Amino acid sequence: MKLGLHIGYWGLGLTAQQQLELVLEAERLGYDSVWTAEAYGSDAATILAWLAQATSTIKLGSAIFQMPGRSAAMTAMTAATIDQLSDGRMLLGIGSSGPQVAEGWHGQRFARQLQRTREYVDVVRLALRRERVVYDGETLQLPLPDGPGKALKLTIAPVQERIPIYIAAIGPKNTTLAAEIADGWLPTLFSPEHVGEFRPLLEEGFAAAGGGKSFADFDIVPTVTVMVSEDLERARDAMRHYVALYTGGMGSRKQNFYNALIRRYGFEEAADTVQELYLAGKKDEAAASLPGELIDTVALVGPADVVRERLRVYRESGVGTLMVSPMAWSFEERVAQLRAVAELVE
């Protein structure tokens, strides 16, 4: 199992130089990849390009590029550019984001996401192969009919023959689609103990892909928050606001994919409570209401021996790359967490 570092959204209390030093330390420790995210603040592409010039071996992943914020062609252009800047280290993670961001920030209707994702990936791959982009889909048509547009092809070539594409997915149908059309899967709030629920969905996708595709050809890359500490309650507390945000606040009462996921793990009552409190503006109370067992299920928390055992569980569940996000709020503490996890991985 390889290690990845998720630096999340830009900043989080660190200076640009400290962010860079954190990534350089991960590279020195042998982390395989570094990933960054975007919502409605910093964009991921700029950060990856900035990291490309300062690093030499660590792979550079987008987790994620928001599909409603970029045309498929622009995503291909960006991926090819970063791949050139980094001499072939680009990992292309994409996702549909959520309806509040898609419609409220990007002005794109959040609808037909399965078909949109399938066609979006088709066009990205077509462009990265440097073929003329001619595509007649249900959600994408290139060139547009009855207009002056012409079929174009990417003028630069990526270094990699095939840039790996990862899809962020939580729902059952999206997970199956990821297994069918992508090279990897980016789950959030992932529980290795519940991987048995996901395996049939992934196998269904592999079967649809054909060609003998299997887990051997597919990288499972969960984002996992981490705090190694002899004080278990302190470690759990470091996770509370993050887990509460996703469980209670990432979406509406009717449409929150993360809340639905927590329910599937068997924490229906906790999911209800957190959402009610969070949407009522009682964020601290929502965080405090989270059961310790739930936090232990979706995060790496506690003493070194506990985390070492949990890392073994992740590896045995089929995780290929564990993308860790240290939940520490100073540069020194984050470096310490990076080192602690590196030492515990067998």
Side-chain angles (χ1 to χ4, degrees):
M1 184 173 69
K2 297 175 287 189
L3 284 178
L5 166 64
H6 199 319
I7 59 174
Y9 305 125
W10 179 245
L12 294 179
L14 300 188
T15 67
Q17 186 59 37
Q18 287 173 327
Q19 286 277 49
L20 179 56
E21 286 298 328
L22 193 67
V23 174
L24 291 173
E25 179 64 14
E27 188 172 57
R28 285 191 290 268
L29 289 168
Y31 279 66
D32 181 71
S33 53
V34 58
W35 304 72
T36 190
E38 60 187 20
Y40 40 94
S42 58
D43 76 288
T46 302
I47 304 305
L48 294 179
W50 179 67
L51 292 174
Q53 57 80 36
T55 55
S56 57
T57 59
I58 199 165
K59 295 172 186 172
L60 305 167
S62 55
I64 56 168
F65 283 168
Q66 295 175 339
M67 290 164 49
R70 294 178 180 82
S71 70
M74 176 55 78
T75 291
M77 290 165 60
T78 303
T81 303
I82 296 173
D83 203 52
Q84 281 204 359
L85 291 173
S86 65
D87 194 26
R89 292 183 280 139
M90 179 67 192
L91 304 174
L92 177 55
I94 63 172
S96 58
S97 190
Q100 293 177 323
V101 173
E103 299 196 9
W105 187 247
H106 296 301
Q108 299 293 314
R109 292 295 180 195
F110 192 82
R112 306 191 66 190
Q113 291 307 308
L114 290 173
Q115 190 66 21
R116 283 178 183 273
T117 301
R118 181 184 296 279
E119 295 182 2
Y120 194 98
V121 171
D122 281 347
V123 172
V124 169
R125 289 204 190 278
L126 191 63
L128 288 174
R129 290 196 301 268
R130 300 192 67 216
E131 298 178 16
R132 292 199 179 275
V133 177
V134 177
Y135 194 82
D136 185 18
E138 296 177 22
T139 69
L140 276 175
Q141 275 195 310
L142 293 166
L144 289 174
D146 305 320
K150 61 182 295 186
L152 301 172
K153 69 177 182 179
L154 193 63
T155 61
I156 63 171
V159 174
Q160 298 177 80
E161 182 176 345
R162 178 185 170 95
I163 293 177
I165 294 180
Y166 297 75
I167 293 179
I170 298 173
K173 292 181 180 179
N174 279 333
T175 300
T176 295
L177 181 67
E180 178 187 349
I181 68 175
D183 303 292
W185 173 40
L186 301 172
T188 300
L189 297 182
F190 177 82
S191 167
E193 286 85 1
H194 292 82
V195 74
E197 299 173 23
F198 295 110
R199 290 185 73 89
L201 301 173
L202 297 171
E203 289 168 348
E204 182 183 343
F206 297 152
K213 188 175 183 180
S214 69
F215 286 100
D217 312 301
F218 193 72
D219 196 13
I220 299 175
V221 190
T223 301
V224 182
T225 51
V226 59
M227 168 63 77
V228 183
S229 172
E230 291 303 308
D231 186 339
L232 175 59
E233 289 308 316
R234 173 177 175 266
R236 285 173 172 170
D237 287 347
M239 308 295 148
R240 288 187 178 278
H241 282 279
Y242 173 86
V243 178
L245 167 64
Y246 278 82
T247 305
M250 282 291 193
S252 65
R253 194 182 307 276
K254 293 183 178 180
Q255 195 170 36
N256 181 324
F257 307 123
Y258 306 97
N259 189 279
L261 179 65
I262 295 302
R263 291 173 181 279
R264 295 206 299 274
Y265 290 162
F267 295 96
E268 295 91 347
E269 184 177 346
D272 281 339
T273 300
V274 172
Q275 187 174 64
E276 288 296 328
L277 290 169
Y278 207 97
L279 294 179
K282 301 176 181 179
K283 298 179 182 180
D284 290 341
E285 292 180 39
S289 74
L290 288 165
E293 184 185 356
L294 169 55
I295 295 172
D296 296 347
T297 297
V298 298
L300 277 171
V301 291
D305 59 338
V306 172
V307 173
R308 181 184 290 109
E309 174 60 21
R310 288 283 289 158
L311 287 167
R312 183 189 63 78
V313 174
Y314 276 98
R315 184 176 63 251
E316 292 181 355
S317 75
V319 170
T321 303
L322 190 70
M323 195 194 311
V324 299
S325 179
M327 296 299 279
W329 309 115
S330 73
F331 170 70
E332 292 77 15
E333 287 179 316
R334 289 191 200 180
V335 169
Q337 289 297 317
L338 278 187
R339 292 172 178 169
V341 174
E343 291 172 1
L344 293 172
V345 170
E346 298 173 358

